[in-house]
Amino acid sequence: MRIGILTGGGDCPGLNAVIRAIVRKGIDRFSDEFLGIMNGWAGLIDKSVKPIGKDHISGILPKGGTILGTSRTNPYKIDKGVDRVFETMKSEGLEALIAIGGEDTLGVANKLHKAGMSIIGVPKTIDNDLSGTDYTFGFDTATQIVTEAIDRLHTTAESHNRVMVVEVMGRHSGWIATIGGIAGGADCILIPEFPFSVEDVVELIKKRQARGRAYSIIVVAEGAKPKDIEQYMTKDKSLDAFGHVKLGGIGDFLAKEIEKRTGAETRMTNLGHVQRGGTPTAYDRVLGTRYGIRAIDMVHEGKFGRMAALQGNKIVDIPLSDAVGTLKTVDKEFFEVAKVFFG
Ligand code: F6P
């Protein structure tokens, strides 16, 4: 078969492991031909494609990012975008497409499937917020980076008797903050799922100070909101093609409030895109590999309109519509584990 592969949305470690697995098994077992679609949906709109053979995937397993490039292009927001996507599929003789992405990319894949495209999804996002799958690849690497950063911040916080506010990614879900925060021994974790009171955070720090703990580590997800502020803290007012604002600022806001109200010297570190870069962990390499293998099998089983997913220890497939309907957020019960260690 002649199959297209694209990676869309924010990049994440493990994308190349997925591409490698698809191409390796596809060529060796099924004699497939592959076309890499460059820069997400933009490649199908602009007909920016390149053949991918075994030479292209050699040595890419440990590399972060994606050899295909990525973008947040939305064909449904571009004049004749969807027509051009279908035209490229036809003119390039593509019989199927494997889209590797998060909520936005797979949301487009789901719509294109309904419009007649033979398409398979693979779940990717460092945010781990896709429904229907226990884990997305990239998340383990991101939480490893956050944990290591918190460990490093701990020693400097303790030496200087400072409060360290660590801002991490997570627009609507606080998985990175929660798992990274638990693993790093954070004294308080603030996530979008549960609006917080600045006063409670200040009280927590003051109680630690009274106990002789002059330093504190506060982990805050970029999408966390104080109870009395309706809006997300944003860098500017612009929206991307999927209607997302550029988040950022909650860490700075919190650090200023903490310093003002507790008198403790406070510093803010925004881990930003460091969380998405670099080499994937062994877990993400293996998870990405397993997803890639399942995706190419699904193409040959004709399981279109579906996504490879991890459930327990098994890789299964579920309808794309189940994955993109609602975000998988941190539940109260899980967050209770983190709360045991607050203060
Ligand atoms: O891909 C998800 C994500 O990493 C979010 O956690 C974050 O808000 C966003 O991407 C950042 O996007 P960009 O790379 O466009 O700045």
Side-chain angles (χ1 to χ4, degrees):
M1 278 178 90
R2 198 166 154 80
I3 302 162
I5 308 176
L6 70 76
T7 54
D11 71 335
C12 86
L15 281 165
N16 288 327
V18 182
I19 298 167
R20 170 179 173 267
I22 294 169
V23 174
R24 252 320 254 286
K25 185 160 185 188
I27 293 176
D28 288 351
R29 302 285 171 86
F30 301 111
S31 304
D32 290 328
E33 279 174 27
F34 291 97
L35 213 52
I37 313 294
M38 303 309 294
N39 307 318
W41 298 112
L44 281 177
I45 294 167
D46 306 336
K47 217 184 252 203
S48 172
V49 297
K50 67 166 188 198
I52 322 181
K54 277 198 183 170
D55 281 353
H56 302 99
I57 54 160
S58 165
I60 67 171
L61 180 62
K63 290 196 179 140
T66 160
I67 58 163
L68 300 178
T70 187
S71 72
R72 295 193 189 277
T73 308
N74 182 351
Y76 285 91
K77 287 282 150 76
I78 291 175
D79 188 32
K80 302 216 166 47
V82 175
D83 294 344
R84 282 153 70 184
V85 164
F86 274 97
E87 263 164 44
T88 305
M89 289 291 289
K90 196 167 171 210
S91 64
E92 296 296 332
L94 289 170
E95 296 159 87
L97 181 72
I98 300 176
I100 312 167
E103 183 212 357
D104 297 331
T105 305
L106 297 182
V108 170
N110 190 33
K111 283 194 203 164
L112 290 172
H113 170 68
K114 287 188 178 141
M117 192 180 288
S118 297
I119 194 159
I120 300 284
V122 176
K124 167 245 61 159
T125 161
I126 64 161
D127 294 348
N128 196 38
D129 56 2
L130 266 177
S131 292
T133 187
D134 292 352
Y135 287 102
T136 50
F137 67 88
F139 173 65
D140 185 66
T141 308
T143 51
Q144 194 61 42
I145 293 166
V146 169
T147 304
E148 194 184 316
I150 297 173
D151 286 348
R152 288 173 190 276
L153 290 167
H154 248 121
T155 60
T156 173
E158 213 169 329
S159 304
H160 285 266
N161 290 329
R162 281 174 173 162
V163 176
M164 292 287 185
V165 175
V166 194
E167 184 177 319
V168 301
M169 282 188 173
R171 253 186 210 135
H172 305 293
S173 73
W175 287 110
I176 295 179
T178 304
I179 303 285
I182 293 173
D187 302 305
C188 181
I189 302 169
L190 307 167
I191 61 174
E193 287 84 340
F194 308 111
F196 65 92
S197 136
V198 178
E199 201 43 47
D200 289 349
V201 179
V202 166
E203 281 312 305
L204 180 148
I205 293 166
K206 282 186 180 165
K207 278 194 189 139
R208 279 178 59 78
Q209 289 171 329
R211 286 199 342 258
R213 294 270 189 274
Y215 70 93
S216 294
I217 305 282
I218 315 294
V219 176
V220 59
E222 60 184 348
K225 284 190 237 178
K227 273 179 188 155
D228 48 351
I229 299 180
E230 290 286 306
Q231 306 278 319
Y232 285 118
M233 304 255 170
T234 56
K235 288 193 185 119
D236 56 51
K237 297 261 176 283
S238 64
L239 301 180
D240 70 17
F242 290 92
H244 304 301
V245 288
K246 286 190 195 123
L247 293 179
I250 185 69
D252 273 326
F253 163 82
L254 201 57
K256 281 192 194 111
E257 289 297 315
I258 290 170
E259 190 159 276
K260 195 168 75 192
R261 301 195 206 181
T262 65
E265 219 186 339
T266 306
R267 296 283 188 270
M268 197 286 289
T269 303
N270 185 348
L271 295 181
H273 292 80
V274 166
Q275 295 160 93
R276 286 220 312 244
T279 189
T281 56
Y283 182 86
D284 278 337
R285 293 182 200 193
V286 175
L287 183 60
T289 299
R290 293 177 77 199
Y291 279 148
I293 299 288
R294 186 77 202 103
I296 191 65
D297 285 342
M298 285 161 70
V299 169
H300 288 278
E301 289 161 9
K303 291 193 159 176
F304 298 116
R306 300 181 71 81
M307 180 189 88
L310 178 74
Q311 288 180 359
N313 197 27
K314 296 243 177 311
I315 303 287
V316 298
D317 53 80
I318 61 163
L320 272 171
S321 48
D322 286 2
V324 297
T326 43
L327 283 180
K328 183 181 70 187
T329 50
V330 178
D331 53 278
K332 209 164 173 282
E333 196 187 328
F334 197 101
F335 201 59
E336 287 301 320
V337 174
K339 282 166 80 175
V340 170
F341 303 95
F342 285 10

